[in-house]
Amino acid sequence: MRSYSRRTVLFQSTLAAAWGQNPQARYDLLIRGGHVIDPSQNLSAVRDVAIARGKVARIAEGIPESSARQVVDARGKLVTPGLIDIHVHVYDGVAPLGIPADPNCIAKGVTTVVDAGSAGAHTFPGLRKYVINVVDTRVYALLNISVVGQSTLSTDNPWGELIDLRLANPKLAIKTIEENRDVILGIKIRLTENIAGRHDLDALRLAREASDAVGLPIMAHIGGTFSSLPKILELLRKGDVITHTYRAGEGGILDSNMRVLPEVRKAVANGLRLDVGHGAGSFGWGVAEAALKQDLAPGTISSDVHHYNVQGPVLDLATTLSKFLHLGMKLEDVMARATVNAANTFGFPKGLGTLREGSEGDVAVFQMAEGDFVLTDSGKQSRVVHRRLLPVATVKGGRVYGAASIPVVTL
Ligand SMILES: [Zn+2]
């Protein structure tokens, strides 16, 4: 990854990166002239962002180029805090749905991710040793309540990690979390019937037991469950998260008349958080359109990017964010859901998802492409959208990474 990053920075044709011009400079990096959107401080204006010793040192207009060792010309681009994607799968080589973190996250404007349950107590040490500790993307995790994590389910083996309830082990989950509190931020459970059988509520009670013992939230994957969503919601608490909020089909947030279930509104009023988790099967344009019309907006927008959707329909977090622009959300509100809101959902260290002075030097640069782009949901339904966020470059801890090119469908 390191040589890859250096190469892509050097070949980054859309940015003028001036290297080594000012050895006495007070800043290491200046991201100049972009439209900065930082919802954490209600900022949406043209600004320069200066970074020193890996931290945001200053945001202002007209910071001189001569004050920085390296300059990224972001004029005409959008500049945001490094994005946070709270639902990805980056246990490449162990979970069948795992993908490598760096080409799919840090190369796409995402500096911080949460691996959502790819690992359980038995497989977590490998996630830590071979992924978290070595990749450039900042990776946190939600521990699967099943000891095997998401290592069983694939397209050719359709049985998930809780099909045998004996694999849900709160005691081992608690022990693993206590030993890894610096990187484990919560507990993940998937409740779809081919994963949790008909004992979904029993499995969720075991996740609840572990969650209560360690004082960390649950992220519950909903949809296609044996038990109804209202029954599941009864076991969730303030600060817990449901992911796949806009999934089409049985077990979702809407009734048969496309009205938001009253139990969902009540749970949200009581502090339940709604996450998108687009995924291969969990985002329906029709559901999202109906829900947003009824003012049921997500708290966080995450991609659930993994092996079975990274070639489409998900592609990356920026594409999922673009779908919410098409749904009518303001750019600033969309960005809040992948920066400050994401940072507030779990117990991350301070200084992520924001460009406040003194915070981590994590920045994403995007181009807003305008035209006609076909974006597809998880059920092969398409919409023609007219704005699309394209990742251009990423900065993490003051270091510049190039952005990988992504397929663009133009009519
Ligand atoms: Zn997932």
Side-chain angles (χ1 to χ4, degrees), residues 1 4 82-91 99-115 131 135-140 303-306 310 315-318 363-364 366 391-396 401-404 406:
M1 180 62 201
Y4 155 79
L83 301 186
I84 302 174
D85 191 341
I86 66 162
H87 188 160
V88 302
H89 294 281
V90 292
Y91 202 176
I99 51 173
D102 289 337
N104 297 297
C105 304
I106 204 162
K108 305 290 191 77
V110 180
T111 48
T112 302
V113 298
V114 179
D115 182 283
V131 178
V135 300
D136 285 357
T137 306
R138 197 178 278 112
V139 178
Y140 292 90
S303 67
D304 189 17
V305 67
H306 61 63
V310 67
L315 303 174
D316 55 22
L317 181 59
V363 184
F366 296 94
V392 174
T394 312
V395 176
K396 182 195 158 209
Y401 294 78
I406 55 170

Side-chain angles (χ1 to χ4, degrees), residues 4-45:
Y4 155 79
S5 312
R6 269 198 294 271
R7 256 199 333 268
T8 49
V9 168
L10 292 174
F11 289 137
Q12 191 67 56
S13 58
T14 52
L15 297 173
W19 294 81
Q21 289 181 337
N22 309 302
Q24 304 304 320
R26 48 196 289 217
Y27 304 123
D28 299 313
L29 177 68
L30 180 65
I31 300 148
R32 215 190 121 236
H35 182 115
V36 175
I37 297 176
D38 180 6
S40 77
Q41 40 190 338
N42 286 321
L43 175 62
S44 181

Side-chain angles (χ1 to χ4, degrees), residues 87-89 97 116 150 188 190 221 244 304 306:
H87 188 160
V88 302
H89 294 281
L97 81 173
Q150 295 182 196
K188 176 74 186 296
R190 297 199 295 180
H221 149 140
H244 309 322
D304 189 17
H306 61 63

Side-chain angles (χ1 to χ4, degrees), residues 218-292:
I218 292 173
M219 177 189 271
H221 149 140
I222 63 162
T225 46
F226 173 73
S227 302
S228 69
L229 183 58
K231 286 278 174 216
I232 289 165
L233 294 177
E234 282 175 15
L235 292 169
L236 296 175
R237 308 266 183 272
K238 183 171 191 249
D240 289 336
V241 180
I242 61 167
T243 191
H244 309 322
T245 297
Y246 303 105
R247 188 185 197 274
E250 294 292 304
I253 60 166
L254 303 182
D255 67 16
S256 52
N257 296 315
M258 302 293 274
R259 300 293 306 170
V260 173
L261 294 171
E263 292 88 349
V264 172
R265 288 202 190 279
K266 189 170 158 237
V268 171
N270 289 336
L272 181 76
R273 300 171 189 267
L274 303 180
D275 176 54
V276 171
H278 186 308
S282 305
F283 174 81
W285 276 118
V287 176
E289 286 159 355
L292 265 64

